Amino acid sequence: MKKITTTPYVPNEIEVVNVGKNIARVTAYPFENGCAVTLAHPLRRLLYTSTVGFAPTAVKIDGVSHEFDSLRGMFEDVTLFIINLKNIRFKLKSGADREVVEYSFKGAKEIKGSDLNNDLVEIVNPDSYLATINEDAELKFSVIIERGIGYVPSEEIREATESDYIALDAFFTPVKHVNYDIENILVEGNSDFEKIVMTITTDGQVTPVDAFKNAIEAMYQQMSIFNKVLNITPEVNLSVKKPGCEGEHAKLFEGIENLSLSSRSSNCLIKSEIRFIGELALMDEDELKEIKNLGKKSIDEIKAAMENIGYPIGEDTIENKDLIRRKINELKESK
């Protein structure tokens, strides 16, 4: 038989294992039924969208005026050169957010990612192909490398790029694949608990574990806005449902002494621990009659006073009754 609980089970086991080059597996358990996927899915999205990486955002090639041009002595046209360049994964060594890196090649050569390593950048996929030039060619180009997240189209980059540069679509994310499985796990004889098994693959700009840490931090940052709820008292909508009953809504939280009742009526209410007008407004006539020692004359007096301020006893004129009760209880406890 399932035990009755008042809070979800808090997972307490986690394993992080490197299972290959730039591949890690994160396993966490045990989660209450449904909680595992609730966490795994947004973490997968954040790994793709919030992990910081580097990408070429613009290129300037000597002797080339636009991306559909060609360069004498280079086998590829400029369009294919740009496609190959975007597939090369750079990593800035300086820790800067932006660097302009210049290259120059002359003579017959097949240019790969490893040829682009220098003091400013590291190429994490050195075997990637860029271009081939013949013995008469000279290839000189400058690349702007920037740090960022997600994907930014060239149209948005072009506005901030110098006119002699060709803006590129920027694929910043270093996360290549994220897969997760939800498995059942037995806890104290209950097989409804769950385990998250998440496998993360990056391109080498960051480690999978660092990418996972970054996603966790991003989730905390996004959810931190809800911390403010802990210090917020919900606004109470005290709108009335019937015309002609537009009393001062704040009166619900005023003491019953503001009703100007007779001493006998007031004393009966106080002895029954009724302190606020809102407590009377939430009653029906039967509840009012049940108040100890409250005679017909006092009942009629209270009903008249409540009707006078726009909250007739027994008429359903108030919304959000639970919030009003909660607020009144807080006021009573504070006194």
Side-chain angles (χ1 to χ4, degrees), residues 97-130:
D97 290 335
R98 184 180 188 273
E99 293 282 6
V100 179
V101 189
E102 297 182 351
Y103 295 101
S104 180
F105 299 96
K106 190 174 183 178
K109 184 174 181 59
E110 182 182 89
I111 305 169
K112 293 186 175 182
S114 56
D115 298 306
L116 304 183
N117 282 309
N118 58 28
D119 293 338
L120 293 176
V121 298
E122 173 190 352
I123 307 301
V124 300
N125 55 342
D127 294 331
S128 55
Y129 175 80
L130 179 61

Side-chain angles (χ1 to χ4, degrees), residues 228-245:
K228 297 182 179 180
V229 173
L230 302 177
N231 300 315
I232 291 176
T233 300
E235 294 183 6
V236 180
N237 181 0
L238 300 178
S239 60
V240 295
K241 295 182 179 178
K242 297 183 180 181
C245 296

Side-chain angles (χ1 to χ4, degrees), residues 239-304:
S239 60
V240 295
K241 295 182 179 178
K242 297 183 180 181
C245 296
E246 298 83 10
E248 284 293 326
H249 299 153
K251 281 191 174 294
L252 291 173
F253 306 114
E254 293 180 3
I256 58 171
E257 61 269 20
N258 291 342
L259 290 175
S260 300
L261 299 173
S262 65
S263 297
R264 179 176 178 80
S265 298
S266 294
N267 289 338
C268 286
L269 294 176
I270 291 171
K271 286 180 182 179
S272 297
E273 297 186 350
I274 296 171
R275 307 282 182 82
F276 295 93
I277 293 173
E279 293 177 275
L280 293 171
L282 294 171
M283 290 183 181
D284 57 31
E285 190 166 349
D286 289 337
E287 290 174 309
L288 184 63
K289 290 178 179 178
E290 289 175 3
I291 296 175
K292 191 174 181 180
N293 298 324
L294 196 64
K296 184 178 184 304
K297 186 175 181 180
S298 294
I299 290 173
D300 291 338
E301 182 186 15
I302 293 170
K303 288 173 62 178

Side-chain angles (χ1 to χ4, degrees), residues 73-92:
M74 184 169 72
F75 179 78
E76 291 77 15
D77 58 25
V78 172
T79 299
L80 185 55
F81 174 88
I82 287 174
I83 292 172
N84 293 340
L85 179 64
K86 289 192 292 186
N87 288 331
I88 294 176
R89 303 304 290 166
F90 295 81
K91 184 177 180 179
L92 293 180

Side-chain angles (χ1 to χ4, degrees), residues 127-147:
D127 294 331
S128 55
Y129 175 80
L130 179 61
T132 297
I133 57 175
N134 63 29
E135 62 277 4
D136 298 324
E138 182 175 8
L139 174 61
K140 296 179 68 175
F141 62 97
S142 301
V143 186
I144 299 175
I145 309 296
E146 296 191 71
R147 183 198 302 265

Side-chain angles (χ1 to χ4, degrees), residues 4 15 22 48 62 82 157 169 173 176 182 218 232 247 264 266 273 282 286 293 317:
I4 296 174
E15 302 167 3
N22 300 320
Y48 282 122
D62 283 12
I82 287 174
I157 293 174
D169 296 321
T173 181
K176 296 174 68 176
I182 307 299
I232 291 176
R264 179 176 178 80
S266 294
E273 297 186 350
L282 294 171
D286 289 337
N293 298 324
T317 60

